[in-house]
Amino acid sequence: MTVMSYRQAINETLRAEMHRDDRVFLIGEEIGVFEGSYKITAGLLAEFGERRVRDTPISEEGFTGAAIGAAMLGLRPVVELMTINFSLLALDQIVNHAAKIHGMFGGQRSVPMVIRTPGGGGQQLGATHSQNVELYYAFVPGLKVVAPSNPADAKALLLAAIRDDDPVLFLENLALYNTKGDVPDDDVPAEIGRAAVTRAGSDITVIGYSRMASLGLAVAEELAAREGIDAEVLDLRSLRPLDRETIVRSVRKTHAAVVLEDDWLTYGIGAEIAATISDGAFDQLDAPVRRVAMAEVPLPYAKSLESAALPSAGDVETAIRQTLAAVGRLR
Amino acid sequence: MSAPPGLLGHYRQMLLIRRFEERAARAYTEAKIGGYCHLNLGEEATVVGLMSALDPSDYVFTNYREHGYAIARGIDPSRVMAELYGRSDGVSKGWGGSMHLFDAQARLLGGYGIVGGQLPLATGAALAIAYRGGPEIVMCHLGDGTTNIGAFHESLNLAALWKLPIVFAVVNNQLGMGTTVEMSSAEPELHKRAAAYRMYGERVDGNDVVAVQESAVRAVAMAREGRPVLLEAVSGRLRGHSVVDPAAYRTKEEVAELRAADPVLALGDQLRLSAEDLEQLEQSVAAEVGAAIAFADASAAPDVKTLFDYNYATPVPNDLNRLPGQPLFAVAGA
Ligand SMILES: Cc1ncc(C[n+]2csc(CCOP(=O)(O)OP(=O)(O)O)c2C)c(N)n1
Ligand SMILES: [Mg+2]
């Protein structure tokens, strides 16, 4: 085990995979000379050269599509999209091409590529730079979408994504880049499509991914220490495929659930999870499934407004307490 | 026969594409073919001329008007027709249809229905070739209307910047669906757009198979040296945008002009084949098209059991393989 940041875990995993496999190369805006807008690719151009670390013009559709084409010929590109907001410029290539090529042509070619991109608000970047639109990709068969909430998962899921033969959207989070944690030294890829129980408990199930999984865990630990509330926390880790079994198994045990998401509530990922719980644990629920999500506005710049619009620890705690109160389980 | 053997081969291929497309149009009206169906009728000289410049190891990315390219690539017309019929023996196993032909073996890497979608992909394939230092090139076909989509600009810029082995071949049939080149392109001489990327650009008469071949050979040679090319072949399409389009937007005079410039008839005249030779050619082509129809008709529809076979190349847990009426979880008492 080594303690490192989320940023460092991604950087070192990229480096190790590039050493392991010459087919792996990086492509994106400002990833070489500038070393990445968030310095995720720091040192890699110096170490591997321009062939392996390819700076691109500001052409999201063009270079994302080029990575897909290169993957069709057997390379394993890792694309960096500066933030997930800019992925919308590449939507056609990701949704109409990366996601379709394997199935639409009868399985003749696959698209072994990774699209790394950070989402997340809270940085006072305003409405166009603070979105979480992973839902758009999690909606699409043919794609895989993973979302690590901690440095260890960042490594394990990135290893899995790079070695996977399908297009994988690897969702990073601006608010997590500097968070630290233990990271195993050996290379053990995660299994894409499996959630993790990050805290076992019996009173209520708290479900999240990325920043909201780590926030949910922190709040649960706090409530346990302070009030003896025993929440079970699930980190989805993979949004497509979604590990419905683990969600339902947990809720059938705790009989209550709070779903945390950093996107908008209406049609959001939480809606899918709530529907899943309804399908698989309706008869076991003691209270309605509660969703904690962003306010339905383009995220404002002013700190007062931005903070109010984003789900906070306090919002999570309130939702947990109210749900437990409703079922008479608040000690 | 007095014609040069290469040219006669071209003529036969053009005739095969002509008769294949005419037969596909009929099969469409018989409801054997569904969806959209865009034909290469009138573009045969361009199709055959361009494809004749490629090595078998080269890669082809094209659009939804691509039956002719598949045939010119040497793919069995029977497997192309079976794909139009949506059958399991189709080149894309019935998953693609007319717009999405694909044959990994023949290195025809699609068939794309989104206008311009193939351009970044083809550019990336060329990048992969350069990355490995391979001798192959990529030929990427696009229509005249497609030069106005953003992906065109991004792809040509990337290709030129990175010195990729690729030929962008604009098949200028002078129309989008009903929109003329002049209505949609501020610079209607499309090959001139190459200048914006310091790329070599050239225009050729797309009705002249020999001229197209010569230009394509030149372009391919440049691409092999890492100099991407924008090649524009000007022809016309003899029918509507797709099988169902009566092309009411065209005047009688325009139609007469198109017919007068018909590349298949023109080459037939130029070859001065005897009536018997011509008849023999027609018969052998008719037999091939007839066999394609028979093959497609006999091929089985894809088994519903295979519906989830191509979800992912790397299987993962919790993939949801459910039919529309099935519940997510077992229903108690059901
Ligand atoms: C992105 C996108 N927009 C619109 C369409 C509908 N569409 C299909 S073909 C076509 C015209 C394309 O014209 P051109 O590039 O000249 O090719 P041609 O069909 O003449 O071969 C249009 C508008 C589409 N398939 N994709
Ligand atoms: Mg056209």
Side-chain angles (χ1 to χ4, degrees), chain A residues 15-36:
Chain A
R15 175 179 291 109
E17 287 296 277
M18 289 174 77
H19 276 300
R20 187 186 60 82
D21 186 348
D22 184 67
R23 296 171 303 171
V24 177
F25 72 101
L26 311 185
I27 180 167
E29 288 162 20
E30 308 289 357
I31 62 169
V33 174
F34 195 79
E35 302 201 310

Side-chain angles (χ1 to χ4, degrees), chain A residues 92, chain B residues 36 38-39 43 63-65 99 112-117 142-147 149 171-179 181 237 241:
Chain A
D92 173 57
Chain B
Y36 294 147
H38 312 84
L39 307 175
E43 300 172 351
N63 60 16
Y64 47 84
R65 191 184 300 287
M99 297 196 287
Y112 294 87
I114 303 291
V115 161
L142 59 141
D144 45 280
T146 304
T147 60
I149 203 154
V171 181
N172 182 353
N173 59 14
Q174 307 175 55
L175 282 171
M177 294 173 72
T179 309
V181 174
R237 65 166 150 74
H241 169 68

Side-chain angles (χ1 to χ4, degrees), chain B residues 121-238:
Chain B
L121 302 174
T123 304
L127 174 62
I129 292 168
Y131 187 93
R132 293 185 181 131
E136 311 93 343
I137 67 129
V138 175
M139 181 176 277
C140 177
H141 308 114
L142 59 141
D144 45 280
T146 304
T147 60
N148 297 309
I149 203 154
F152 173 81
H153 159 64
E154 293 192 10
S155 301
L156 267 70
N157 188 52
L158 292 178
L161 207 56
W162 295 340
K163 302 183 170 50
L164 299 181
I166 183 166
V167 175
F168 295 100
V170 178
V171 181
N172 182 353
N173 59 14
Q174 307 175 55
L175 282 171
M177 294 173 72
T179 309
T180 62
V181 174
E182 287 70 23
M183 281 166 72
S184 57
S185 297
E187 172 50 272
E189 290 183 59
L190 303 174
H191 63 106
K192 289 189 176 171
R193 297 212 185 173
Y197 312 98
R198 294 197 175 178
M199 191 184 279
Y200 178 72
E202 182 180 318
R203 176 180 259 193
V204 64
D205 176 2
N207 284 332
D208 180 343
V209 70
V210 175
V212 175
Q213 180 174 18
E214 280 173 6
S215 289
V217 165
R218 200 159 44 236
V220 165
M222 288 174 72
R224 258 189 239 292
E225 286 161 20
R227 294 173 62 199
V229 176
L230 180 66
L231 177 60
E232 176 191 8
V234 184
S235 65
R237 65 166 150 74
L238 286 170

